[in-house]
Amino acid sequence: MNLVSVIDEVKDRLDVVEVVSSYLQLNKAGRNYKALCPFHSENTPSFVVFPESQRWYCFGACNEGGDVFNFVMKMEAWDFRTALEELARRAGVELEPPTPAQEQAAEEADRLREVLATAARYYHHLLVNAPEANEAREYVESRGLADETVEAFLIGYSLPEWERARTYLIKQGYSEEDLLKTGLVIERETGGSYDRFRGRLMIPIRDGRGRVVGFGARTLDPDG
Ligand code: ZN
């Protein structure tokens, strides 16, 4: 089965009303169903599900709609591939095994996420333990962040030096090429690379599955 027919097959087997109602309290309104929109804040329901067309629409602030795929992607912050896998599983539709190229891309993405997860733990360890992170710890405290919050969000600190994270990650067995791909280091014109984040409070950014996919970094230098 090609991708288009897999998508159609999944849509044929799933009822958008059923899928949406696994997330929201739907109320019958004529032929359709209404709910409080999950994508914006409201007191009067303007989110409508249409069983006949198998679509949904928010007539309120969102002013947008779509099919069952768009709905779960928005609801779960899934990319299309994840939505397809999850909905296919739910519909009992078998997906074709990924091509070698897809497999390789997935492996690389896994590997890069692992680098980012290791970096997040490293920065977090520095924030909690490093003598050089004194100021950062004071800043965190001054912003009223509890230790549990720092722990839960794995908030960290990058040392104000040029190659500390790079050296640490390479020692952990990651290749410079992968570090460059994550954006954690920047290539030097003369060869080698240096840390992108220096002297910053590090805030991991996670995807819908809770995996670290990037960082927000806040400078602690008042002139930065
Ligand atoms: Zn809305």
Side-chain angles (χ1 to χ4, degrees):
M1 242 192 312
N2 66 34
L3 186 61
V4 176
S5 47
V6 170
I7 293 168
D8 286 343
E9 177 82 15
V10 169
K11 281 194 192 173
D12 280 349
R13 290 209 205 175
L14 291 179
D15 179 10
V16 71
V17 174
E18 212 170 288
V19 173
V20 172
S21 64
S22 68
Y23 294 96
L24 308 178
Q25 170 77 44
L26 287 179
N27 293 308
K28 193 116 178 72
R31 282 193 218 159
N32 303 323
Y33 292 85
K34 276 190 156 189
L36 290 172
C37 178
F39 307 126
H40 81 275
S41 167
E42 64 179 6
N43 298 318
T44 319
S46 54
F47 180 90
V48 181
V49 181
F50 307 94
E52 277 163 33
S53 59
Q54 287 291 301
R55 295 182 70 82
W56 58 275
Y57 201 92
C58 169
F59 292 93
C62 304
N63 199 28
E64 66 165 334
D67 59 17
V68 69
F69 279 91
N70 306 116
F71 179 77
V72 293
M73 285 167 73
K74 241 175 123 70
M75 203 68 202
E76 301 272 11
W78 283 339
D79 57 21
F80 180 77
R81 182 74 207 178
T82 307
L84 180 62
E85 283 168 8
E86 295 294 329
L87 291 182
R89 198 171 46 78
R90 200 165 159 163
V93 173
E94 204 151 325
L95 295 181
E96 256 173 55
T99 65
Q102 286 170 332
E103 202 135 280
Q104 207 182 340
E107 268 167 32
E108 177 175 294
D110 272 347
R111 215 170 58 233
L112 296 184
R113 278 189 297 257
E114 198 189 307
V115 176
L116 291 169
T118 304
R121 286 191 300 271
Y122 168 70
Y123 292 134
H124 176 67
H125 177 82
L126 290 175
L127 177 65
V128 176
N129 301 298
E132 301 99 310
N134 245 333
E135 235 176 283
R137 281 191 292 272
E138 277 166 21
Y139 173 78
V140 166
E141 209 186 310
S142 77
R143 293 298 301 268
L145 294 181
D147 290 351
E148 302 82 64
T149 310
V150 170
E151 193 72 49
F153 290 90
L154 220 59
I155 290 170
Y157 178 63
S158 52
L159 297 174
E161 293 178 42
W162 292 94
E163 292 193 7
R164 289 287 283 271
R166 173 184 184 273
T167 306
Y168 174 80
L169 291 167
I170 284 177
K171 267 194 196 155
Q172 299 300 305
Y174 300 116
S175 70
E176 179 151 56
E177 200 192 332
D178 279 354
L179 297 189
L180 284 165
K181 282 184 185 160
T182 62
L184 287 172
V185 301
I186 298 170
E187 199 160 21
R188 286 187 202 275
E189 276 175 31
T190 51
S193 59
Y194 61 93
D195 293 356
R196 175 184 301 268
F197 301 114
R198 302 179 305 277
R200 285 166 187 264
L201 196 71
M202 303 298 293
I203 300 135
I205 297 168
R206 293 169 190 274
D207 67 8
R209 296 185 188 180
R211 303 175 298 193
V212 179
V213 291
F215 289 95
R218 187 187 176 92
T219 180
L220 298 178
D221 176 358
D223 304 319

PDB file of all heavy atoms in Angstrom, residues 169-192:
ATOM      1  N   LEU A 169      31.505  16.104  25.608  1.00  0.00           N
ATOM      2  CA  LEU A 169      30.660  15.258  24.752  1.00  0.00           C
ATOM      3  C   LEU A 169      31.501  14.332  23.883  1.00  0.00           C
ATOM      4  O   LEU A 169      31.129  13.181  23.653  1.00  0.00           O
ATOM      5  CB  LEU A 169      29.729  16.130  23.904  1.00  0.00           C
ATOM      6  CG  LEU A 169      28.645  16.831  24.737  1.00  0.00           C
ATOM      7  CD1 LEU A 169      27.949  17.921  23.933  1.00  0.00           C
ATOM      8  CD2 LEU A 169      27.613  15.828  25.269  1.00  0.00           C
ATOM      9  N   ILE A 170      32.631  14.815  23.420  1.00  0.00           N
ATOM     10  CA  ILE A 170      33.502  13.955  22.617  1.00  0.00           C
ATOM     11  C   ILE A 170      34.047  12.820  23.483  1.00  0.00           C
ATOM     12  O   ILE A 170      34.116  11.668  23.052  1.00  0.00           O
ATOM     13  CB  ILE A 170      34.601  14.787  21.923  1.00  0.00           C
ATOM     14  CG1 ILE A 170      33.959  15.535  20.738  1.00  0.00           C
ATOM     15  CG2 ILE A 170      35.756  13.906  21.437  1.00  0.00           C
ATOM     16  CD1 ILE A 170      34.853  16.453  19.969  1.00  0.00           C
ATOM     17  N   LYS A 171      34.360  13.145  24.752  1.00  0.00           N
ATOM     18  CA  LYS A 171      34.810  12.097  25.677  1.00  0.00           C
ATOM     19  C   LYS A 171      33.723  11.061  25.928  1.00  0.00           C
ATOM     20  O   LYS A 171      34.019   9.904  26.268  1.00  0.00           O
ATOM     21  CB  LYS A 171      35.233  12.719  27.014  1.00  0.00           C
ATOM     22  CG  LYS A 171      36.703  13.031  27.076  1.00  0.00           C
ATOM     23  CD  LYS A 171      37.112  13.312  28.521  1.00  0.00           C
ATOM     24  CE  LYS A 171      38.459  14.010  28.559  1.00  0.00           C
ATOM     25  NZ  LYS A 171      38.626  14.811  29.774  1.00  0.00           N
ATOM     26  N   GLN A 172      32.468  11.466  25.783  1.00  0.00           N
ATOM     27  CA  GLN A 172      31.355  10.526  25.961  1.00  0.00           C
ATOM     28  C   GLN A 172      31.157   9.646  24.719  1.00  0.00           C
ATOM     29  O   GLN A 172      30.238   8.836  24.680  1.00  0.00           O
ATOM     30  CB  GLN A 172      30.048  11.259  26.249  1.00  0.00           C
ATOM     31  CG  GLN A 172      30.072  12.101  27.507  1.00  0.00           C
ATOM     32  CD  GLN A 172      30.358  11.278  28.748  1.00  0.00           C
ATOM     33  OE1 GLN A 172      29.672  10.313  29.040  1.00  0.00           O
ATOM     34  NE2 GLN A 172      31.406  11.653  29.462  1.00  0.00           N
ATOM     35  N   GLY A 173      31.993   9.882  23.704  1.00  0.00           N
ATOM     36  CA  GLY A 173      31.950   9.016  22.536  1.00  0.00           C
ATOM     37  C   GLY A 173      31.148   9.560  21.360  1.00  0.00           C
ATOM     38  O   GLY A 173      30.921   8.857  20.381  1.00  0.00           O
ATOM     39  N   TYR A 174      30.711  10.809  21.433  1.00  0.00           N
ATOM     40  CA  TYR A 174      29.966  11.380  20.303  1.00  0.00           C
ATOM     41  C   TYR A 174      30.929  12.004  19.303  1.00  0.00           C
ATOM     42  O   TYR A 174      31.982  12.523  19.691  1.00  0.00           O
ATOM     43  CB  TYR A 174      28.966  12.424  20.795  1.00  0.00           C
ATOM     44  CG  TYR A 174      27.965  11.845  21.762  1.00  0.00           C
ATOM     45  CD1 TYR A 174      27.904  12.262  23.079  1.00  0.00           C
ATOM     46  CD2 TYR A 174      27.086  10.835  21.347  1.00  0.00           C
ATOM     47  CE1 TYR A 174      26.989  11.715  23.969  1.00  0.00           C
ATOM     48  CE2 TYR A 174      26.174  10.283  22.237  1.00  0.00           C
ATOM     49  CZ  TYR A 174      26.137  10.719  23.541  1.00  0.00           C
ATOM     50  OH  TYR A 174      25.245  10.178  24.415  1.00  0.00           O
ATOM     51  N   SER A 175      30.572  11.940  18.024  1.00  0.00           N
ATOM     52  CA  SER A 175      31.464  12.472  17.003  1.00  0.00           C
ATOM     53  C   SER A 175      31.265  13.974  16.856  1.00  0.00           C
ATOM     54  O   SER A 175      30.188  14.511  17.133  1.00  0.00           O
ATOM     55  CB  SER A 175      31.168  11.796  15.654  1.00  0.00           C
ATOM     56  OG  SER A 175      29.916  12.217  15.166  1.00  0.00           O
ATOM     57  N   GLU A 176      32.324  14.622  16.412  1.00  0.00           N
ATOM     58  CA  GLU A 176      32.237  16.065  16.193  1.00  0.00           C
ATOM     59  C   GLU A 176      31.165  16.382  15.152  1.00  0.00           C
ATOM     60  O   GLU A 176      30.444  17.372  15.267  1.00  0.00           O
ATOM     61  CB  GLU A 176      33.599  16.581  15.727  1.00  0.00           C
ATOM     62  CG  GLU A 176      33.594  18.065  15.465  1.00  0.00           C
ATOM     63  CD  GLU A 176      34.963  18.673  15.689  1.00  0.00           C
ATOM     64  OE1 GLU A 176      35.906  18.197  15.042  1.00  0.00           O
ATOM     65  OE2 GLU A 176      35.081  19.599  16.508  1.00  0.00           O
ATOM     66  N   GLU A 177      31.052  15.508  14.161  1.00  0.00           N
ATOM     67  CA  GLU A 177      30.059  15.706  13.109  1.00  0.00           C
ATOM     68  C   GLU A 177      28.652  15.773  13.716  1.00  0.00           C
ATOM     69  O   GLU A 177      27.841  16.632  13.364  1.00  0.00           O
ATOM     70  CB  GLU A 177      30.173  14.536  12.129  1.00  0.00           C
ATOM     71  CG  GLU A 177      29.578  14.806  10.773  1.00  0.00           C
ATOM     72  CD  GLU A 177      29.469  13.530   9.955  1.00  0.00           C
ATOM     73  OE1 GLU A 177      30.282  12.597  10.171  1.00  0.00           O
ATOM     74  OE2 GLU A 177      28.558  13.457   9.119  1.00  0.00           O
ATOM     75  N   ASP A 178      28.373  14.846  14.621  1.00  0.00           N
ATOM     76  CA  ASP A 178      27.057  14.855  15.264  1.00  0.00           C
ATOM     77  C   ASP A 178      26.862  16.098  16.133  1.00  0.00           C
ATOM     78  O   ASP A 178      25.774  16.677  16.172  1.00  0.00           O
ATOM     79  CB  ASP A 178      26.843  13.581  16.094  1.00  0.00           C
ATOM     80  CG  ASP A 178      26.422  12.402  15.221  1.00  0.00           C
ATOM     81  OD1 ASP A 178      26.197  12.619  14.003  1.00  0.00           O
ATOM     82  OD2 ASP A 178      26.316  11.275  15.741  1.00  0.00           O
ATOM     83  N   LEU A 179      27.932  16.495  16.829  1.00  0.00           N
ATOM     84  CA  LEU A 179      27.820  17.704  17.655  1.00  0.00           C
ATOM     85  C   LEU A 179      27.482  18.906  16.786  1.00  0.00           C
ATOM     86  O   LEU A 179      26.652  19.738  17.150  1.00  0.00           O
ATOM     87  CB  LEU A 179      29.127  17.977  18.410  1.00  0.00           C
ATOM     88  CG  LEU A 179      29.581  16.926  19.420  1.00  0.00           C
ATOM     89  CD1 LEU A 179      30.766  17.461  20.221  1.00  0.00           C
ATOM     90  CD2 LEU A 179      28.459  16.555  20.362  1.00  0.00           C
ATOM     91  N   LEU A 180      28.119  18.980  15.609  1.00  0.00           N
ATOM     92  CA  LEU A 180      27.838  20.083  14.692  1.00  0.00           C
ATOM     93  C   LEU A 180      26.384  20.038  14.233  1.00  0.00           C
ATOM     94  O   LEU A 180      25.716  21.061  14.152  1.00  0.00           O
ATOM     95  CB  LEU A 180      28.775  20.018  13.483  1.00  0.00           C
ATOM     96  CG  LEU A 180      30.210  20.481  13.748  1.00  0.00           C
ATOM     97  CD1 LEU A 180      31.136  20.026  12.617  1.00  0.00           C
ATOM     98  CD2 LEU A 180      30.274  22.000  13.902  1.00  0.00           C
ATOM     99  N   LYS A 181      25.904  18.822  13.955  1.00  0.00           N
ATOM    100  CA  LYS A 181      24.518  18.688  13.483  1.00  0.00           C
ATOM    101  C   LYS A 181      23.507  19.131  14.536  1.00  0.00           C
ATOM    102  O   LYS A 181      22.447  19.643  14.204  1.00  0.00           O
ATOM    103  CB  LYS A 181      24.227  17.245  13.066  1.00  0.00           C
ATOM    104  CG  LYS A 181      24.804  16.921  11.696  1.00  0.00           C
ATOM    105  CD  LYS A 181      24.425  15.524  11.273  1.00  0.00           C
ATOM    106  CE  LYS A 181      25.115  15.167   9.962  1.00  0.00           C
ATOM    107  NZ  LYS A 181      25.173  13.726   9.749  1.00  0.00           N
ATOM    108  N   THR A 182      23.819  18.895  15.811  1.00  0.00           N
ATOM    109  CA  THR A 182      22.881  19.334  16.853  1.00  0.00           C
ATOM    110  C   THR A 182      22.919  20.847  17.027  1.00  0.00           C
ATOM    111  O   THR A 182      22.001  21.421  17.599  1.00  0.00           O
ATOM    112  CB  THR A 182      23.217  18.733  18.237  1.00  0.00           C
ATOM    113  OG1 THR A 182      24.515  19.191  18.628  1.00  0.00           O
ATOM    114  CG2 THR A 182      23.184  17.224  18.224  1.00  0.00           C
ATOM    115  N   GLY A 183      23.993  21.480  16.561  1.00  0.00           N
ATOM    116  CA  GLY A 183      24.124  22.917  16.760  1.00  0.00           C
ATOM    117  C   GLY A 183      24.730  23.283  18.097  1.00  0.00           C
ATOM    118  O   GLY A 183      24.843  24.458  18.442  1.00  0.00           O
ATOM    119  N   LEU A 184      25.135  22.282  18.877  1.00  0.00           N
ATOM    120  CA  LEU A 184      25.747  22.575  20.186  1.00  0.00           C
ATOM    121  C   LEU A 184      27.125  23.197  20.025  1.00  0.00           C
ATOM    122  O   LEU A 184      27.597  23.899  20.912  1.00  0.00           O
ATOM    123  CB  LEU A 184      25.860  21.295  21.025  1.00  0.00           C
ATOM    124  CG  LEU A 184      24.551  20.762  21.601  1.00  0.00           C
ATOM    125  CD1 LEU A 184      24.768  19.401  22.236  1.00  0.00           C
ATOM    126  CD2 LEU A 184      23.960  21.736  22.610  1.00  0.00           C
ATOM    127  N   VAL A 185      27.790  22.869  18.927  1.00  0.00           N
ATOM    128  CA  VAL A 185      29.091  23.485  18.650  1.00  0.00           C
ATOM    129  C   VAL A 185      29.047  24.135  17.268  1.00  0.00           C
ATOM    130  O   VAL A 185      28.200  23.813  16.433  1.00  0.00           O
ATOM    131  CB  VAL A 185      30.261  22.470  18.696  1.00  0.00           C
ATOM    132  CG1 VAL A 185      30.347  21.799  20.055  1.00  0.00           C
ATOM    133  CG2 VAL A 185      30.129  21.426  17.593  1.00  0.00           C
ATOM    134  N   ILE A 186      29.968  25.063  17.065  1.00  0.00           N
ATOM    135  CA  ILE A 186      30.065  25.804  15.807  1.00  0.00           C
ATOM    136  C   ILE A 186      31.428  25.503  15.205  1.00  0.00           C
ATOM    137  O   ILE A 186      32.434  25.464  15.928  1.00  0.00           O
ATOM    138  CB  ILE A 186      29.922  27.317  16.069  1.00  0.00           C
ATOM    139  CG1 ILE A 186      28.535  27.604  16.665  1.00  0.00           C
ATOM    140  CG2 ILE A 186      30.159  28.127  14.800  1.00  0.00           C
ATOM    141  CD1 ILE A 186      28.363  29.018  17.174  1.00  0.00           C
ATOM    142  N   GLU A 187      31.432  25.289  13.879  1.00  0.00           N
ATOM    143  CA  GLU A 187      32.679  24.934  13.211  1.00  0.00           C
ATOM    144  C   GLU A 187      33.636  26.129  13.158  1.00  0.00           C
ATOM    145  O   GLU A 187      33.216  27.257  12.915  1.00  0.00           O
ATOM    146  CB  GLU A 187      32.347  24.482  11.779  1.00  0.00           C
ATOM    147  CG  GLU A 187      33.440  23.683  11.144  1.00  0.00           C
ATOM    148  CD  GLU A 187      32.921  22.854   9.958  1.00  0.00           C
ATOM    149  OE1 GLU A 187      31.849  23.208   9.420  1.00  0.00           O
ATOM    150  OE2 GLU A 187      33.600  21.885   9.584  1.00  0.00           O
ATOM    151  N   ARG A 188      34.926  25.842  13.426  1.00  0.00           N
ATOM    152  CA  ARG A 188      35.945  26.885  13.263  1.00  0.00           C
ATOM    153  C   ARG A 188      36.456  26.864  11.826  1.00  0.00           C
ATOM    154  O   ARG A 188      36.619  25.800  11.250  1.00  0.00           O
ATOM    155  CB  ARG A 188      37.153  26.601  14.169  1.00  0.00           C
ATOM    156  CG  ARG A 188      36.936  26.866  15.626  1.00  0.00           C
ATOM    157  CD  ARG A 188      38.284  26.687  16.337  1.00  0.00           C
ATOM    158  NE  ARG A 188      38.107  26.409  17.755  1.00  0.00           N
ATOM    159  CZ  ARG A 188      37.947  27.351  18.669  1.00  0.00           C
ATOM    160  NH1 ARG A 188      37.944  28.623  18.308  1.00  0.00           N
ATOM    161  NH2 ARG A 188      37.788  27.031  19.934  1.00  0.00           N
ATOM    162  N   GLU A 189      36.755  28.039  11.304  1.00  0.00           N
ATOM    163  CA  GLU A 189      37.282  28.088   9.942  1.00  0.00           C
ATOM    164  C   GLU A 189      38.610  27.357   9.857  1.00  0.00           C
ATOM    165  O   GLU A 189      38.980  26.815   8.824  1.00  0.00           O
ATOM    166  CB  GLU A 189      37.459  29.541   9.497  1.00  0.00           C
ATOM    167  CG  GLU A 189      36.162  30.119   8.953  1.00  0.00           C
ATOM    168  CD  GLU A 189      36.284  31.588   8.620  1.00  0.00           C
ATOM    169  OE1 GLU A 189      37.386  32.025   8.244  1.00  0.00           O
ATOM    170  OE2 GLU A 189      35.259  32.279   8.744  1.00  0.00           O
ATOM    171  N   THR A 190      39.328  27.358  10.959  1.00  0.00           N
ATOM    172  CA  THR A 190      40.650  26.727  10.980  1.00  0.00           C
ATOM    173  C   THR A 190      40.566  25.236  11.317  1.00  0.00           C
ATOM    174  O   THR A 190      41.583  24.594  11.556  1.00  0.00           O
ATOM    175  CB  THR A 190      41.526  27.417  12.036  1.00  0.00           C
ATOM    176  OG1 THR A 190      40.781  27.442  13.267  1.00  0.00           O
ATOM    177  CG2 THR A 190      41.866  28.829  11.620  1.00  0.00           C
ATOM    178  N   GLY A 191      39.344  24.689  11.385  1.00  0.00           N
ATOM    179  CA  GLY A 191      39.162  23.286  11.755  1.00  0.00           C
ATOM    180  C   GLY A 191      38.768  23.177  13.220  1.00  0.00           C
ATOM    181  O   GLY A 191      39.018  24.091  14.008  1.00  0.00           O
ATOM    182  N   GLY A 192      38.137  22.051  13.563  1.00  0.00           N
ATOM    183  CA  GLY A 192      37.645  21.895  14.925  1.00  0.00           C
ATOM    184  C   GLY A 192      36.381  22.707  15.143  1.00  0.00           C
ATOM    185  O   GLY A 192      35.766  23.191  14.189  1.00  0.00           O
TER     186      GLY A 192
END
